[in-house]
Amino acid sequence: MKLTDISTIRALLGQEQTDFKKKYGQNFLVNEGIVKKIVAGSGANKDCGVLEIGPGIGVMTVELSDAAKKVVSLEIDPDMVAILDKTLEGRDNVKVICQDVLKADLPAIIAENFSDCAEVRVCANLPYYITTPIITMLLESDLGLDSITVMVQKEVADRLVAKAGSDQYGAISTFVAYYGKPYKIAAVSAGSFIPAPKVDSSVVRIDVYRDRPVKPLDEKLFFEVVRAAFMQRRKTLVNAVVSALGGKIQGLNKEKMTEILVSLGFSPTVRGETLSVEQFAKIADAIKTFSENPF
Ligand code: SAM
């Protein structure tokens, strides 16, 4: 059964008396070359367990099952799960769980299924409106993942991989770069899906750090500084940070913040969009030290 074949997809949906569901972002890949490129680019190998999110009719699941040691696929739609029963028949290294990924106990699923796997990788092709929350949740929850491979809208991909100083660089770029190394593995045209979405896509892989190279003294404060810098993009860092944190940290006024930046070798008019993760961490650490000893 060729799962990138449009007549096969329509027949499978027809047998379950279902159709493409917009509310679940059901745009299925029909470009076999892209499916293979994503699976190869995801780093799936015979030592690894893959947590697939949003398998649909199983077009990537089949390839992942050939490439990986084990695959666990989380799918929200029971109609898709009924189809997966047929398309994955006989594949004993695949388990399908009918569940909303946002409600799933991922640490338990990983512990239960992948304890005998040397690596754990995520592969996801999800509705675009939940990709950013899911990437954020996967990175924040310290699941011991080796990589996350995810299909996103092209413009979102540009932001995820953006380097400091570029137009696309923002809070999400800093966030991702704090947790891992992101890079694009495939460009995917709208015509590679049925139904075709209105936008082009890209697949991004994030290699998650086991040991993060940048370790701010206070992670919460580090992210507050990053968010402040990008929430008020046109302001200098001094103004952005003082307006966001000045009320919380005693004595953190414009003069003090300028003094902190200059003492670290930055220009007093530096803007957040030019700063790397390391530089944000240095600044956040200096603010932390000052907050503990303001006088
Ligand atoms: N992986 C398939 C492919 O590439 O053709 C299907 C991709 S389709 C864009 C997204 C899939 O994610 C659909 O099967 C949809 O039902 C499923 N899905 C949507 N929201 C979900 C959620 N919260 N949890 C798990 N699966 C979800």
Side-chain angles (χ1 to χ4, degrees):
M1 202 180 331
K2 197 162 180 249
L3 297 182
T4 47
D5 196 292
I6 295 174
S7 50
T8 304
I9 298 174
R10 290 203 188 282
L12 287 165
L13 294 174
Q15 284 160 21
E16 295 309 317
Q17 295 170 354
T18 184
D19 208 338
F20 305 100
K21 294 187 185 117
K22 218 174 166 174
K23 69 170 173 176
Y24 291 145
Q26 288 177 351
N27 304 87
F28 299 135
L29 275 169
V30 289
N31 181 332
E32 198 179 346
I34 289 290
V35 174
K36 290 191 185 298
K37 198 168 178 181
I38 298 171
V39 172
S42 74
N45 63 72
K46 284 291 166 199
D47 288 326
C48 91
V50 176
L51 179 66
E52 187 195 16
I53 314 175
I57 64 162
V59 69
M60 286 212 295
T61 325
V62 167
E63 295 287 332
L64 288 168
S65 146
D66 286 341
K69 181 170 182 173
K70 280 184 183 174
V71 182
V72 172
S73 299
L74 287 183
E75 171 57 58
I76 198 169
D77 180 2
D79 288 335
M80 290 303 122
V81 174
I83 291 174
L84 290 164
D85 267 353
K86 297 176 192 160
T87 59
L88 301 176
E89 202 185 344
R91 291 189 173 268
D92 52 16
N93 68 341
V94 183
K95 184 197 269 187
V96 175
I97 303 176
C98 189
Q99 202 165 33
D100 178 347
V101 62
L102 294 168
K103 297 185 183 146
D105 183 350
L106 296 183
I109 290 173
I110 289 172
E112 208 172 287
N113 294 284
F114 299 141
S115 55
D116 58 344
C117 297
E119 300 171 356
V120 180
R121 298 179 186 270
V122 166
C123 210
N125 179 9
L126 281 165
Y128 290 142
Y129 55 85
I130 56 170
T131 45
T132 306
I134 290 202
I135 294 170
T136 310
M137 177 269 280
L138 290 172
L139 289 173
E140 272 178 344
S141 40
D142 266 334
L143 294 166
L145 301 175
D146 291 275
S147 68
I148 299 167
T149 297
V150 63
M151 174 90 71
V152 289
Q153 206 172 312
K154 185 180 169 299
E155 292 69 23
V156 175
D158 292 340
R159 288 207 291 277
L160 294 177
V161 305
K163 297 274 181 277
S166 67
D167 286 349
Q168 288 81 14
Y169 190 62
I172 188 73
S173 329
T174 318
F175 181 86
V176 168
Y178 173 70
Y179 286 102
K181 263 196 184 140
Y183 49 100
K184 283 193 204 174
I185 59 172
V188 190
S189 65
S192 298
F193 296 92
I194 182 173
K198 290 195 179 72
V199 293
D200 288 333
S201 305
S202 293
V203 180
V204 171
R205 169 168 157 187
I206 303 166
D207 286 339
V208 184
Y209 293 128
R210 282 279 162 116
D211 183 21
R212 292 197 273 276
V214 177
K215 299 181 173 69
L217 293 171
D218 180 337
E219 198 176 65
K220 187 166 167 273
L221 179 66
F222 164 76
F223 283 120
E224 279 175 344
V225 172
V226 172
R227 264 196 304 273
F230 290 107
M231 232 155 56
Q232 314 198 9
R233 234 186 142 91
R234 260 168 275 129
K235 285 192 178 177
T236 61
L237 189 72
V238 167
N239 286 336
V241 169
V242 170
S243 74
L245 298 174
K248 279 199 253 176
I249 299 176
Q250 200 195 353
L252 190 69
N253 53 29
K254 284 187 191 178
E255 291 68 37
K256 191 69 226 177
M257 191 58 212
T258 304
E259 193 186 310
I260 289 175
L261 288 181
V262 171
S263 74
L264 295 172
F266 294 105
S267 154
T269 58
V270 70
R271 287 170 199 273
E273 62 208 35
T274 65
L275 297 172
S276 65
V277 172
E278 293 84 344
Q279 291 173 320
F280 269 119
K282 264 192 193 164
I283 294 167
D285 284 356
I287 296 173
K288 175 75 181 169
T289 306
F290 167 73
S291 74
E292 285 169 346
N293 191 8
F295 302 108

